[in-house]
Amino acid sequence: MKSVDKGSYAGALLVDLSKAFDTVPHQLLLTELRDIGCSTEVLNWFCNYLSDRLQRVITYEEVTDWIMASRGFPQGSGLSPLLFNIFVRNLPRQCTFFQFADDTTLATEDPSLSVVAET
């Protein structure tokens, strides 16, 4: 609204990453946790938290076999949004970037409509 009040154009892209928490590879997440300075003890705890998890699909017609999960983390955990935000913290930032869990908004403003459209 401030941009529009200044006479600029504003553009926004709202992104909801479907199944975002299910797609994070454990090994890459552990690397990101190491990169932000987590201690060996903390990394070991997260490794234990993410390891040896099984999953299966249950529908009205079918129940699949259990398989080992090498991606994702438990849904409903307070850690899930935090871990996802750590995992995607280095996304390119060519414009203003707002994120909450797996909902991301990219926004830009400029007096020129063509600049906003190109961003």
Side-chain angles (χ1 to χ4, degrees):
M1 293 305 293
K2 290 178 186 177
S3 300
V4 173
D5 289 344
K6 291 189 315 188
S8 292
Y9 292 96
L13 175 64
L14 287 75
V15 180
D16 183 1
L17 300 170
S18 178
K19 304 285 185 190
F21 297 164
D22 296 334
T23 62
V24 176
H26 294 165
Q27 209 50 48
L28 290 177
L29 176 61
L30 291 169
T31 299
E32 293 295 329
L33 290 168
R34 185 199 68 219
D35 290 351
I36 64 168
C38 288
S39 67
T40 302
E41 292 82 15
V42 170
L43 290 173
N44 287 337
W45 185 90
F46 274 110
C47 187
N48 186 298
Y49 177 71
L50 297 170
S51 298
D52 299 324
R53 293 195 172 273
L54 299 174
Q55 65 184 20
R56 68 178 176 176
V57 176
I58 300 173
T59 67
Y60 291 109
E61 296 89 29
E62 182 180 4
V63 176
T64 65
D65 293 332
W66 288 99
I67 62 168
M68 190 66 67
S70 63
R71 296 176 176 270
F73 26 83
Q75 301 294 316
S77 163
L79 285 174
S80 296
L82 174 64
L83 292 174
F84 185 75
N85 283 334
I86 290 169
F87 183 71
V88 298
R89 78 185 193 290
N90 289 324
L91 286 175
R93 306 220 194 272
Q94 297 174 348
C95 53
T96 305
F97 188 91
F98 304 96
Q99 184 177 11
F100 177 76
D102 60 341
D103 295 320
T104 303
T105 301
L106 302 142
T108 190
E109 61 95 11
D110 196 271
S112 167
L113 183 58
S114 62
V115 171
V116 171
E118 288 176 17
T119 305

